[in-house]
Amino acid sequence: MRPVTFAVVAAAPLLLIAACDQIMPAPAPAPDPAPPPPTTSSVFGGLDLSQPFTVRGNEPFWNIAVTSATLDYNGLDRPQETAPNPGPQVTPTVATWTVTTSLNNPLVLVLTPGPCSDGMSETVYPLNATVIRPGETLTGCAGA
């Protein structure tokens, strides 16, 4: 009987190793890395809205200097009005600012992509502009 006992003792470690291999599952493949967050672009119609730019129009002459902090409205024979810049609401076809100026007037600035000429110079701007103020709607162009 000694040979059988020796065979069992000799085979026991091999059986344990084989059993461990069956009990231990294979490691799962590493999950795919998370996709990077979407990049937010401040470029709209070829103009970087995060940088200062000017909106301007004629008849009557007016302009809005847009910075990261403020929108400053000026016009011929009009008082200057300033508003904090809340940033635009942007869709693929329009960028809109809605503010209340320092004189408590509502002002809506709407930009749409497309070449724009002010009609008095040969300058072509990348955006068309509409400004809605109490009692008037102004049209013009926007660019750096």
Side-chain angles (χ1 to χ4, degrees):
M1 276 218 220
R2 284 250 187 240
V4 171
T5 305
F6 177 74
V8 170
V9 171
L14 295 174
L15 292 173
L16 288 174
I17 291 172
C20 286
D21 190 41
Q22 292 175 356
I23 294 172
M24 302 285 287
D32 291 336
T39 56
T40 54
S41 174
S42 58
V43 176
F44 177 77
L47 182 66
D48 186 348
L49 300 180
S50 70
Q51 299 298 312
F53 64 94
T54 303
V55 184
R56 57 185 56 85
N58 302 323
E59 300 180 25
F61 289 102
W62 60 271
N63 71 62
I64 299 174
V66 180
T67 69
S68 61
T70 60
L71 279 75
D72 294 313
Y73 170 80
N74 291 289
L76 187 63
D77 297 327
R78 297 163 186 244
Q80 179 176 349
E81 299 182 56
T82 300
N85 184 349
Q89 296 295 314
V90 179
T91 71
T93 59
V94 66
T96 305
W97 287 257
T98 303
V99 299
T100 300
T101 70
S102 54
L103 297 180
N104 208 32
N105 289 319
L107 184 144
V108 178
L109 169 60
V110 179
L111 302 179
T112 55
C116 180
S117 173
D118 64 11
M120 296 192 72
S121 70
E122 293 183 24
T123 304
V124 177
Y125 301 94
L127 299 171
N128 293 281
T130 302
V131 176
I132 303 165
R133 298 179 24 87
E136 67 181 342
T137 298
L138 305 168
T139 58
C141 304

